Structures are given as structure tokens and as C-alpha cells.
Amino acid sequence: MASVRLLVYNRRLFHVSKSTSVSRPSSRTRLFSTSSRCRTVMPAWVIDKYGNNDVLRFTKNASFPVINYPNEVIVKVFAAGLNPLDVSMRGGYGAATLSMKRDPLNIKQSGNEFPLILGRDVSGVIMECGLDVKYFSERDEVWAAIPPWKQGSLAEFVVLSANEVSHKPKSLSHTEAAAIPYVATTAWSALVNTGGLGKDNCAKKRILILGGSGGVGTFAIQMLKAWGAHVTVTCSQNAEQFVRTLGADQVVDYTAGPVEEPLSMLEKFDLILDNVGGDTERWALNLLKPWSGAKYVTLVTPFLQNTDRLGIADGMMQTAATVATKALKHLVKGVHYRWGFFAPSGPALDEIREMVDAGQIQAVVEETFSFAQVPQALEKVENGHARGKTVVEISKGGDDL
């Protein structure tokens, strides 16, 4: 499916939506598809400054998203998944780096990101397409992981690039579908793009997931098992049965004592995915098979903290020095040290959709909230110890489709 997407994207066909009106053919302004349902505002949950849950504000007058580039689509949000990143962003995490991404030339004033809409997962229906969008049509059911520098899904509508969007799995409801994209693309980026794993080379490889009961961990377990890997996870005793039902072969309880001791007694691993951070780097790399291409991939990195604390230039220099030092230190021991990052990807979600519809991956939704209960939903995520995703139901669909 990903190859079909690329083929369609590369075809330069001239197409004008029926809803586009051209009043001045000689105008030098590039025209995009525009809806006859003219709206300028929409309901949304926003923040006007960084802080705790008290900064959340519901408004019916949030700016309606606009198609600014011909490869963009407007999606009517049916369900939005929440992640720990939303809680961190509410408090200002990554503000310096994300502001640079939104305004690379620093033209706008400080604080131009406000009012900011949180929410990185979306499942909904396409309402409008830019003129270069060939792979999607209006009324298509889609899902996506929204980049953190863009306005999020805790709103009635959101605008995205077509290469960030994928057709929703037919076997899932919108509520179930909204539980997957962010954790799926994060796990895909870490395991496939950084770790070099795939369905063709994963069989019988030994994988260790540190922190296996969270969103990324629960998805990674299912994907790796679908590809034939042997998966060991660490989690609390309360979550052991939960991760075993997802396919984990071996479970180590981190509440029973230092996990490095029971893990060191097991056969060494081909790849470790670290969702925990902290002092795990001190001992985890010793669990890898030396001189066999084994990799340690951590999703807990100091990149955004460095840029927030030191500024963009100094923060990036500090980050580069840190990762280079650690990579070299462990390379001489015969193992590879890597950082993993979230990367939005429609083509990756195409692959994941096929696995979901084949029954290899299930959505893990712990609790759903209504649109009016967004503060309670974020509070639940902030409390941690989740056994699946928290999802907000934004819309049930309606006459405007």
C-alpha cells in the first residue's frame, strides 16, 4: 500500500475540486479547494499559557483550520487519543524547539503558538482536500498521528498533510482507531527506522521491551509478535497478565527488585527498546549480544530538555555531543546505542492498518471520555500507570458529513 501511495503522490495530474470557485483567473494567488460550508470558528479545548490542568479552556470560537498548501486535508475529528506528551506539552515541554519548527525565521512574536490545541491522535473523516491530494477523497475515513508542532485533535476539525494521514482500519471504530497512531508511529520509528527490524528479518530475534505496559510498549509487543520475534518485557506484577494476553513471551516484574538481576540470567538480546530511561542505560546494554549488530534504542532522550534549557543552538550542540559520546563508548564494546523519536508517517500507518485488519494488532483502550471531560481525561493520563490508551470522543458524526 505504501508503494501505491508513493506512485499516486508522484503523479502530477491537474485536478480542480467541484467546490473551488475562481473569481479572478489572472490572480497570482495559488488556489486551493475551499468548502461551500464556510466557517471561521469551531469548538475546541485550548491553552493560552503553559501550566497545569487549570490552563485548559473550552471555547466555541477557536480558529477554523485552513488549507494553506495543496497537499493538505481538513479532517473532521470523531475521536482523539491522549498521550503523556500532551501533559508534557501543556506544561511547556519542548516549547523552544517546537516554536522554531512553527516559525523557522522567527518572524512572529514570542507566544505565537497560543491558543494551543493539544491531542496527537486523530480518527475521523476527510472534509476537504487540497488540489494536489490524489490518494484521498472527501468522506474517506482516516487516522493519523499529528506532529507536536501542529494544532492538535482536541477540536472539531484539524488540518494535516496528506503524507501524515492513512485510511482507517475497517475493523476498528473511530474510538478504537484513535488509540493507535501516535504510539504506533513512535514504535515503528524506533524499531523499524532506527532498530532496523521488519517483518522479513524479525523471526526468532530476541527483543527486550523496558516498560512494556504503556502505549508504545503494548503496541510494540503485538507488532513484534506478528513478525515472529521472541519478546521479553518488564512491567509491574499487576500488568503481567495484561502484557501476556498481548503476546509477551517472558515477563519480569520490576516491583520485585532490581530488574537487571533476573534479566542478566536470560539469554542475551538482539534489540532493547527502552521506554523507561533513568539509570537503565547503566546496565541495559550489557544484556545485548556483543559484536552481532545488537542495538539499544531509547525513547527517553534529553534533546528537548537541552533546547529548552540552553536554547536551540547550544541545546543541539549539547545533544550531538551527548549522543556521539555514548554511541562511541558502547560501539567499542560491540553494541549499538541509538535514540528513537516519534516520526509521523502515513505510509507506516498504511502498513499498520493491514496488520490491524488481519487481526494481528488490537486497539487497547482503557477508558473513554466525552468532549466535555477533556480535563478529567488529561488528569487520568497525568496520573500514569495506564493499561492502554485514554480516548476522547469528539463527535459521533452527523448531518454535516
Side-chain angles (χ1 to χ4, degrees):
M1 293 302 297
S3 61
V4 173
R5 174 194 289 267
L6 293 174
L7 177 62
V8 175
Y9 281 162
N10 289 331
R11 294 178 64 188
R12 295 295 180 182
L13 301 178
F14 181 74
H15 170 76
V16 179
S17 170
K18 292 181 180 179
S19 59
T20 303
S21 60
V22 182
S23 57
R24 294 185 181 181
S26 60
S27 173
R28 299 180 66 181
T29 302
R30 176 173 282 183
L31 298 173
F32 302 103
S33 179
T34 57
S35 174
S36 59
R37 301 178 289 274
C38 295
R39 296 181 56 175
T40 58
V41 295
M42 65 176 178
W45 282 91
V46 302
I47 62 172
D48 301 302
K49 61 181 180 179
Y50 297 120
N52 57 25
N53 239 15
D54 294 338
V55 301
L56 285 168
R57 174 174 64 89
F58 178 76
T59 178
K60 293 184 178 180
N61 298 308
S63 297
F64 193 88
V66 177
I67 290 179
N68 291 312
Y69 300 95
N71 69 328
E72 290 183 329
V73 297
I74 293 176
V75 176
K76 179 175 176 58
V77 182
F78 281 12
L82 297 182
N83 299 276
L85 177 63
D86 295 305
V87 175
S88 299
M89 287 180 62
R90 186 198 63 194
Y93 173 73
T97 304
L98 298 178
S99 292
M100 183 192 70
K101 182 66 177 178
R102 297 182 187 108
D103 184 21
L105 300 180
N106 198 26
I107 296 174
K108 300 177 183 179
Q109 293 182 345
S110 176
N112 68 83
E113 67 267 34
F114 300 118
L116 179 65
I117 303 173
L118 302 173
R120 297 304 106 197
D121 287 302
V122 60
S123 182
V125 173
I126 289 182
M127 299 299 292
E128 200 71 39
C129 294
L131 294 182
D132 281 358
V133 176
K134 313 301 181 187
Y135 192 67
F136 301 100
S137 302
E138 292 182 11
R139 299 175 182 264
D140 282 357
E141 292 189 321
V142 295
W143 62 345
I146 305 172
W149 54 87
K150 293 188 176 183
Q151 293 286 36
S153 55
L154 292 178
E156 190 176 8
F157 295 90
V158 66
V159 63
L160 294 165
S161 298
N163 60 1
E164 296 161 352
V165 177
S166 170
H167 289 103
K168 180 184 77 68
K170 291 182 171 59
S171 59
L172 298 183
S173 67
H174 284 289
T175 300
E176 292 169 327
I180 293 179
Y182 179 80
V183 296
T185 49
T186 301
W188 185 278
S189 175
L191 296 172
V192 179
N193 300 345
T194 304
L197 298 179
K199 59 184 177 182
D200 298 325
N201 69 352
C202 207
K204 298 183 180 180
K205 285 196 173 179
R206 291 181 52 79
I207 313 297
L208 170 62
I209 300 175
L210 299 173
S213 62
V216 173
T218 55
F219 178 85
I221 292 170
Q222 297 181 81
M223 184 172 73
L224 291 168
K225 290 306 299 178
W227 289 346
H230 181 282
V231 179
T232 300
V233 304
T234 65
C235 64
S236 68
Q237 183 180 18
N238 293 336
E240 179 175 351
Q241 188 58 38
F242 170 61
V243 297
R244 286 193 184 278
T245 61
L246 297 176
D249 297 290
Q250 203 156 9
V251 181
V252 176
D253 176 14
Y254 69 78
T255 64
V259 292
E260 56 265 38
E261 295 179 9
L263 287 174
S264 63
M265 300 175 65
L266 302 176
E267 183 182 343
K268 290 189 180 296
F269 298 94
D270 297 288
L271 185 140
I272 296 174
L273 176 63
D274 187 359
N275 299 299
V276 177
D279 70 342
T280 55
E281 291 184 15
R282 178 178 53 81
W283 49 264
L285 284 99
N286 296 324
L287 304 176
L288 291 169
K289 299 176 181 177
W291 306 109
S292 62
K295 296 183 179 70
Y296 167 88
V297 181
T298 179
L299 290 169
V300 186
T301 75
F303 173 61
L304 292 181
Q305 290 98 324
N306 285 343
T307 54
D308 285 344
R309 180 171 55 90
L310 302 173
I312 300 298
D314 289 345
M316 293 184 72
M317 289 181 62
Q318 177 65 49
T319 298
T322 300
V323 71
T325 301
K326 291 185 176 183
L328 184 60
K329 171 185 174 182
H330 295 292
L331 187 61
V332 297
K333 299 179 181 179
V335 295
H336 299 276
Y337 176 94
R338 298 286 186 269
W339 285 358
F341 297 95
F342 160 71
S345 173
L349 287 175
D350 286 345
E351 301 278 355
I352 293 162
R353 179 189 69 239
E354 294 180 1
M355 298 174 72
V356 171
D357 282 337
Q360 296 173 317
I361 292 175
Q362 60 178 299
V364 183
V365 179
E366 183 176 35
E367 192 170 353
T368 60
F369 292 83
S370 69
F371 196 22
Q373 296 175 309
V374 165
Q376 295 95 309
L378 274 170
E379 184 178 3
K380 182 187 182 307
V381 174
E382 188 171 13
N383 289 336
H385 302 291
R387 299 290 181 266
K389 289 292 290 290
T390 298
V391 177
V392 177
E393 295 178 333
I394 308 294
S395 171
K396 298 287 187 181
D399 298 333
D400 55 345
L401 293 181

